[in-house]
Every structure is written in C-alpha cells, then in structure tokens.
Amino acid sequence: MNQRAQVSKGKALLRTFWKYRALYLISVPGIIYFIVFKYVPLLGSVIAFQDYNIFSGIKGSEWVGLEHFHRMFAHYDFLNVLKNTLLIGLYDLVIAFPAPIVLALLLNELRVVVYKRLLQTVVYMPHFLSWVIVSGIAVGILSPSTGAVNQFIAWLGFEKIYFLGEESWIRTVLIGSGVWRDSGYGTIIYLAALAGINPDLYEAAEVDGASRWRQTLSITLPSLLPTIMILFLLHIGKFLDFGFERVFVFLNPLNKDNGEILDTYIYQAGLMDQQFSYTTAIGLFKALVGLFLISTGNFFSKKTTGESLY
C-alpha cells in the first residue's frame, strides 16, 4: 500500500514538473549562478581553521583549529572595529530604515500629480550615483573652507567644522549620505504597497469624520505593516554588512578610529596585509551573526505579526 502511494506521489510530482516545465527551465540559470558563485566558494571558508599559505594551498596548509577566532576577539583593533560596525548598523537601522517609509507617506499625500511625479524623480536620482561621486559631493559641501554647510555655519556666527577630519562626525556623515542617496529609491516598494490599499477604506473613514492623520494611523500604517516587517527582516540580516564602498570612500587617517567597519578592516588585513585565514574567520563571524539575527527576527515576527520570510 505504501509502495503504491509512493509511486502515485512520484507520478503526481512528475506531472507537476512537466506542467510548469517552462518556469523550471527559466530558473535553471539562476540556480547555476547561485551554486557556482555562492555555494561553491563557501568551501574555501575552511581556511579560517588553517594557517593558510597561498603556495601550499588548502590541502597543504596547517590546521590550527579556532586559533584565528581566539585572536579575533583578543585583538584591540578588531574589538574597536566591531564596536564601530555595531554602532553604525544601529544608527542605520534607527534613522535610515524609517526614512523611506516617512518619505513614501509624504509623497502619497501629494495631490498634484505632475508635482508628485517630478518630486519622485528628484528623490530617486541620487541612488544611481556611485559612492565615489556621493563622497565627492559630500567633500565639496562639507569642506571647511568653501563648503556650503560651513559657510552657513560661519554666517550664523559659529566656528567652522571639519566634518571629515573629526572622529565625532564621521558616523553622522556616513548615515546622512546614505539617507540622501537611498531613501528615495527605497520608497518604490512602499508606494507600490500604498497603491494596493482599497480606497473604499479611506472613503468610509472620511465619512466617519476621520482626519488625514487618523486615516494614516488607522489604515495606511496597518496596511503597510506586512511590507515593513519583510523589509525589516531583510535589513537586520545584513546588520553587520554596512557596505565596503560606502565607508571606504569617506575614510582617512583622521576619522578612521570611529569610521572603520568590518568590511574595510577585512580589506586592509586580508588583501593588503595578506592575513587570509584571519579575515576569513571574521567573514564567517559576520555570516553567523547575520544568520542568527535574521532567524531570530523571523521567529519573533511570525509569532507577533504573522509575517515572516519563511
């Protein structure tokens, strides 16, 4: 009886596969891409447990166990960089993540269609600039001698600030430049979700005397909550992955102590100083923390809101 059930299930699976053969065929290049460029390179992570030598290769390198992980947590530079990464990631989560939501809500309230489309285009455009260009714009605007910001500060009667030359300002510059560059582009998903809200809900609320602010709190935000939760889970999954280019273009010896993150530290220690095993251990640590955060966030999201990634 069990054998017949298994045969029947196998036939049903084959019929399903044949029915949607076009979709499975389209997915093959994507599957191959992830296998070749995402999963196969994971095998190289084994060098985190070796004293890797590029001439001896993985097979000929000496195994050292968890030595690089012990060194990682005992090294002052790493602990300082980890602190910077956590703080910058936290600021990004608190400030940069809600920015597209607020911007999408404001854009949604505009009633003049031409002005709304023009404003959307203007706020989208910075996303298509590379971080090199963004850093050049920031350097020009924040220059202590000719920058518009410092000119305004001097006009108010205060002393000019060397934003990129003081440790205390580098995190603000990093988060602020990210908000300016990516907030507009991040509104696309939220505006699409807003467009899917049933307008009858707003009409009924208006009949009941609800103000625009009350409609936003009672209709718009609850309707956006599933989208917000999914994007929040994706965001915390890359909590320690702030971005190499985003930080590297702003770093200099004057702000490095407060601005260096794990990605730039891996570049310096791994590629420049050729500490391949040590930086691979750091990369594994980042991946495990990201996996833990996204799994934990997904669990609590599923329990509290019913929304989850899986």
Side-chain angles (χ1 to χ4, degrees), residues 222-242:
S223 299
L224 278 181
L225 187 59
T227 304
I228 293 173
M229 288 305 303
I230 295 299
L231 293 178
F232 177 77
L233 291 174
L234 294 173
H235 190 91
I236 63 172
K238 55 186 181 68
F239 185 77
L240 295 182
D241 192 18
F242 191 68

Side-chain angles (χ1 to χ4, degrees), residues 3-31:
Q3 188 175 3
R4 287 184 179 179
Q6 290 178 356
V7 171
S8 177
K9 187 181 294 185
K11 289 182 178 179
L13 185 63
L14 288 174
R15 284 196 298 268
T16 302
F17 180 80
W18 182 251
K19 181 180 180 180
Y20 299 103
R21 59 188 181 278
L23 294 177
Y24 287 114
L25 184 63
I26 292 173
S27 66
V28 168
I31 295 172

Side-chain angles (χ1 to χ4, degrees), residues 246-281:
R246 179 175 178 175
V247 177
F248 185 75
V249 292
F250 286 102
L251 284 185
N252 60 59
L254 298 175
N255 59 34
K256 191 174 182 180
D257 284 346
N258 278 9
E260 188 169 31
I261 62 170
L262 288 175
D263 290 328
T264 56
Y265 182 70
I266 288 172
Y267 166 77
Q268 178 63 41
L271 295 180
M272 305 300 290
D273 298 339
Q274 299 182 10
Q275 302 180 62
F276 302 114
S277 295
Y278 175 56
T279 49
T280 301

Side-chain angles (χ1 to χ4, degrees), residues 67-251:
E67 178 181 325
H68 296 296
F69 293 91
H70 291 305
R71 174 192 170 193
M72 183 172 68
F73 289 106
H75 203 292
Y76 169 78
D77 286 344
F78 171 78
L79 294 177
N80 183 59
V81 169
L82 179 60
K83 181 193 74 172
N84 291 340
T85 308
L86 291 173
L87 286 175
I88 292 174
L90 181 62
Y91 296 156
D92 188 60
L93 186 64
V94 173
I95 299 172
F97 178 76
I101 303 173
V102 175
L103 186 57
L105 292 174
L106 293 175
L107 288 173
N108 190 58
E109 292 299 316
L110 294 176
R111 293 294 175 260
V112 181
V113 177
V114 175
Y115 179 68
K116 181 178 180 180
R117 300 302 179 202
L118 178 62
L119 194 58
Q120 284 179 326
T121 303
V122 170
V123 297
Y124 290 166
M125 287 177 63
H127 176 78
F128 301 100
L129 300 177
S130 70
W131 279 111
V132 176
I133 297 176
V134 172
S135 68
I137 294 172
V139 168
I141 293 175
L142 302 176
S143 171
S145 56
T146 60
V149 174
N150 272 304
Q151 293 293 332
F152 180 70
I153 292 175
W155 180 74
L156 292 175
F158 297 101
E159 187 177 351
K160 293 182 178 181
I161 302 171
Y162 190 7
F163 290 97
L164 294 177
E166 295 185 15
E167 294 179 355
S168 58
W169 283 99
I170 182 60
R171 293 168 185 161
T172 304
V173 172
L174 290 174
I175 300 301
S177 61
V179 170
W180 177 77
R181 180 181 183 269
D182 294 327
S183 290
Y185 190 77
T187 61
I188 293 176
I189 296 176
Y190 295 112
L191 287 173
L194 288 170
I197 300 175
N198 190 346
D200 293 341
L201 296 174
Y202 292 106
E203 292 177 4
E206 193 171 351
V207 170
D208 291 338
S211 63
R212 295 299 299 177
W213 176 245
R214 187 62 190 175
Q215 291 176 33
T216 300
L217 293 178
S218 301
I219 300 174
T220 307
L221 287 179
S223 299
L224 278 181
L225 187 59
T227 304
I228 293 173
M229 288 305 303
I230 295 299
L231 293 178
F232 177 77
L233 291 174
L234 294 173
H235 190 91
I236 63 172
K238 55 186 181 68
F239 185 77
L240 295 182
D241 192 18
F242 191 68
F244 169 76
E245 291 181 4
R246 179 175 178 175
V247 177
F248 185 75
V249 292
F250 286 102
L251 284 185

Side-chain angles (χ1 to χ4, degrees), residues 278-295:
Y278 175 56
T279 49
T280 301
I282 297 175
L284 278 177
F285 170 75
K286 276 183 57 182
L288 290 175
V289 170
L291 178 62
F292 171 77
L293 288 174
I294 198 169
S295 299

